[in-house]
Amino acid sequence: MRAPAFWWRRPGVASALLSPIGAVVGAVALARMGKAGGRVDAPVLCIGNPTVGGAGKTPTAIALLDRLTARGATPFALLRGHGGSAPMPLRVDPAIHGADAVGDEALLLARHAPTIVAGGARLAGAAMAVETGASHIVMDDGFQNPSLHKDVSVLVVDGMVGVGNACVTPAGPLRAPLLPQLARADAMLVVGDGSAGDRVAAEATQAGCTVLRGWLVPDPAAVAALHGIPLIAFAGIGRPEKFFATLEREGLALLARHAFADHHPFRPAEIARLVEAARAQGARLVTTEKDRARLTGPAFAGPEFSGVLDAIAPLPVTLALDAPHALDALVDLAEARFQARRT
């Protein structure tokens, strides 16, 4: 699904007409969030967002996994596995699992730490992680899901769009009313600059929620390798234009850009058309790491794609925080709460 344009504007006719449905959706979500979750024998840190769609959760989860590993811990990533078809819960093995089986985010997370895709069984997935050696569990999404108790929760917001018109879906992008969500969060991370992000950061501060600031930084070596090359960009993420803007900001030469819906399941024919367009214009294809991860599995294993996918350049990004010790503070808080609930 691609987010409707009116979500990101001031409330108008469309949001007003849909607001009664949004009120019901919000009430149901808040009722679910109020339920007590099951507990496992490890600190659980949840990286969620208050809105539908992407905001930078996966890079944030990766940064947290890397920090935990640097501290000597054995963290596991836990996520639903959006778009995956394999029986779950399941430990991801990138050598045998493609995005069709476990989803694109799982493949990215599995490069940094053992990863469990749980489908709708997050508690069972967390138990599997603990049974197989997890010292900490980092959830990528699942803030609104009540099945697993979280020791620390962080809400991630895209600084450029914030929470849009501040209405609950389908009237706007919020999954539930904002203030009750803030009341259940320990921190809000605003990723990128923008007045919309500043406004929601002010609301979070007023609600007593710690506000962190971060930016997604493209890999310098990957950027350097693309300089001076005509590029055709494509992306199927929450806001593809954010990816295109990053390429332009880095001074790369974009001939064309192709936007797809978030988590778009690419078909071989679509990729073949993009490859042919790039060849015809003497250009190279470039996409996000998440989109590149979806070009795996049986659909792209045929001989006609031999060597083709290697020519599609992914642009890795990492999360940079303005407060270098912010992740350590979150881990310390989660560990303290975990020890308190064990006694």
Side-chain angles (χ1 to χ4, degrees), residues 79-90 101-103 117-121 128:
L79 71 166
R80 185 178 66 174
H82 183 92
S85 59
M88 301 178 188
L90 170 74
V102 297
V117 289
M128 175 185 287

Side-chain angles (χ1 to χ4, degrees), residues 40-51:
V40 293
D41 195 23
V44 177
L45 299 95
C46 177
I47 308 299
N49 65 341
T51 59

Side-chain angles (χ1 to χ4, degrees), residues 81-167:
H82 183 92
S85 59
M88 301 178 188
L90 170 74
R91 181 164 173 172
V92 177
D93 183 349
I96 62 174
H97 296 134
D100 60 315
V102 297
D104 48 15
E105 290 118 334
L107 296 179
L108 300 185
L109 292 164
R111 298 174 187 172
H112 296 263
T115 297
I116 304 290
V117 289
R122 284 186 173 91
L123 180 57
M128 175 185 287
V130 172
E131 290 168 4
T132 51
S135 64
H136 299 69
I137 294 170
V138 175
M139 296 177 64
D140 183 343
D141 209 359
F143 174 78
Q144 292 82 10
N145 186 292
S147 61
L148 178 62
H149 174 82
K150 295 101 174 168
D151 294 294
V152 159
S153 293
V154 180
L155 290 174
V156 183
V157 170
D158 183 334
M160 185 59 66
V161 297
V163 294
N165 63 12
C167 297

Side-chain angles (χ1 to χ4, degrees), residues 155-302:
L155 290 174
V156 183
V157 170
D158 183 334
M160 185 59 66
V161 297
V163 294
N165 63 12
C167 297
V168 176
T169 186
L174 283 171
R175 302 187 188 201
L178 180 60
L179 288 180
Q181 293 196 75
L182 291 175
R184 297 179 180 277
D186 298 288
M188 170 177 283
L189 169 62
V190 180
V191 178
D193 299 314
S195 58
D198 293 339
R199 287 193 295 271
V200 73
E203 288 188 67
T205 300
Q206 190 172 10
C209 192
T210 298
V211 174
L212 309 173
R213 294 279 184 166
W215 295 266
L216 296 181
V217 180
D219 178 69
V223 171
L226 295 173
H227 265 292
I229 300 173
L231 300 172
I232 293 177
F234 69 97
I237 56 176
R239 283 205 312 117
E241 59 271 19
K242 181 167 61 173
F243 173 62
F244 304 145
T246 297
L247 297 172
E248 292 182 329
R249 191 167 55 247
E250 295 296 327
L252 300 177
L254 283 187
L255 297 183
R257 60 200 74 195
H258 298 271
F260 297 86
D262 195 17
H263 292 288
H264 178 73
F266 291 107
R267 297 184 295 275
E270 290 174 317
I271 299 303
R273 284 194 295 270
L274 289 171
V275 168
E276 183 55 36
R279 284 175 177 164
Q281 299 181 66
R284 185 170 186 189
L285 290 172
V286 61
T287 191
T288 70
E289 273 196 304
K290 186 179 289 190
D291 288 296
R292 181 61 181 80
R294 288 205 297 284
L295 306 183
T296 58
F300 295 98

